[in-house]
Amino acid sequence: MTDAELVVRTRAGDGEAFGLLVSRYHDACWRFAYHMLGERADAEDVVQDTFLRAYLAIGRYDERDQFRGWLFRILTNQCRNFLTSRGRRTRRFIQDDAAIDSATAPASTTPVGVEDAALLRALAQLDPLQREALLLKYAEGLEYGEMSAMTGAGESALKMRVKRGSERLRALLGGEFEGPAS
């Protein structure tokens, strides 16, 4: 079933349809939230809240948008709200190498040639908006137009965040980060 079909069924009261949407997008949402927040429990809380908000707002979902983009807009806002509410706009992330080494992330989220632990440590040192832009661009594979719709930032601002974040990651990883700078 397509996302659109599952949304229609959810709106009609089919809770299992929304469960299928949760199953389809949970891992990607959790991965993004974990990389943004740096704590497993915080990521899970934000993801649960994101799905709850999505369920409650499903009647306002515009079918012209992709469900994934709509969901990630909610997730991005929830991550930002979480960071703000906890006073974490500045760098407060995992610094425990053992915890980072034990964290699992699918290989598709890792830029070429970078080990997960090294990447997590480097991401934790980025400005949250740069980290957000890099994750949306490389981990989620979004185009700048999609990123702009999700974050409310202009495309040129997002390109600059990705460029500066990429440069910072290269410096932190000793040149190992090979994501494009644009």
Side-chain angles (χ1 to χ4, degrees):
M1 262 188 201
T2 67
D3 290 349
E5 292 169 330
L6 292 172
V7 167
V8 168
R9 287 183 54 191
T10 299
R11 285 179 172 164
D14 183 350
E16 288 182 30
F18 190 75
L20 291 173
L21 288 168
V22 170
S23 295
R24 189 172 287 173
Y25 291 106
H26 183 273
D27 290 347
C29 287
W30 186 88
R31 191 172 52 246
F32 179 83
Y34 177 69
H35 285 119
M36 282 301 298
L37 306 175
E39 297 282 342
R40 290 173 182 260
D42 294 343
E44 192 58 43
D45 288 346
V46 166
V47 169
Q48 286 178 9
D49 193 43
T50 295
F51 282 113
L52 175 62
R53 288 177 182 272
Y55 183 77
L56 295 173
I58 199 82
R60 294 189 306 269
Y61 166 70
D62 185 348
E63 292 84 10
R64 293 175 293 185
D65 293 332
Q66 289 184 342
F67 180 80
R68 180 177 184 255
W70 180 75
L71 182 64
F72 265 79
R73 247 187 326 272
I74 297 169
L75 176 62
T76 299
N77 287 331
Q78 289 306 110
C79 286
R80 287 177 178 177
N81 292 343
F82 185 88
L83 288 168
T84 300
S85 71
R86 297 292 191 259
R88 296 182 189 182
R89 270 283 184 216
T90 56
R91 299 167 186 96
R92 188 222 161 262
F93 293 94
I94 294 177
Q95 296 302 316
D96 180 357
D97 290 343
I100 291 172
D101 290 338
S102 69
T104 58
S108 65
T109 66
T110 305
V112 176
V114 178
E115 295 180 13
D116 289 352
L119 177 60
L120 289 173
R121 280 190 294 274
L123 282 171
Q125 295 178 52
L126 294 180
D127 170 80
L129 294 176
Q130 289 176 353
R131 182 173 49 255
E132 175 185 275
L134 281 170
L135 291 171
L136 291 173
K137 180 69 177 161
Y138 298 125
E140 300 307 320
L142 300 178
E143 298 297 324
Y144 286 107
E146 295 171 296
M147 293 167 60
S148 179
M150 286 178 164
T151 64
E155 288 186 37
S156 61
L158 290 166
K159 287 178 183 180
M160 186 55 68
R161 289 175 190 169
V162 169
K163 180 182 185 302
R164 288 183 178 156
S166 296
E167 290 169 353
R168 178 83 170 118
L169 274 182
R170 279 188 192 95
L172 292 168
L173 297 170
E176 293 180 55
F177 180 68
E178 297 180 16
S182 60

